[in-house]
Amino acid sequence: ISDAWRRAGAMILILLLLVFIVALGLAGIRGLDIECGCFGSSSGSDSILQALLRNGGLLVLAVGVFRGSCISRKAERTE
């Protein structure tokens, strides 16, 4: 995959994860019951917390991919 596509895909993923993390956080703060089975078999705030942690980890990885492709792009320009 070219670096441009990798950067674009990582940026889209970062934006989607941020929106989802904010939505989950707001639902948790408001105490909304979003027990739909989407987050596994655990119930209540545990499933929201697990989803927030999982998405936070995915966000860190996506930022790493984005930064890595930017760094490799800078290295190619200096050569």
Side-chain angles (χ1 to χ4, degrees):
I1 299 176
S2 72
D3 279 342
W5 284 105
R6 189 175 304 140
R7 279 191 306 278
M11 183 55 70
I12 291 169
L13 181 59
I14 289 168
L15 293 174
L16 289 173
L17 284 169
L18 285 173
V19 168
F20 194 63
I21 288 170
V22 168
L24 278 176
L26 289 174
I29 290 170
R30 293 180 181 175
L32 297 176
D33 181 22
I34 55 171
E35 182 80 27
C36 62
C38 304
F39 306 112
S41 60
S42 60
S43 62
S45 62
D46 289 341
S47 62
I48 292 176
L49 180 60
Q50 288 173 350
L52 284 171
L53 291 173
R54 179 182 58 238
N55 290 323
L58 290 171
L59 181 63
V60 168
L61 292 173
V63 168
V65 168
F66 182 79
R67 287 181 52 96
S69 64
C70 289
I71 290 170
S72 69
R73 181 178 179 202
K74 287 180 184 178
E76 288 176 0
R77 278 196 236 163
T78 59
E79 293 177 353

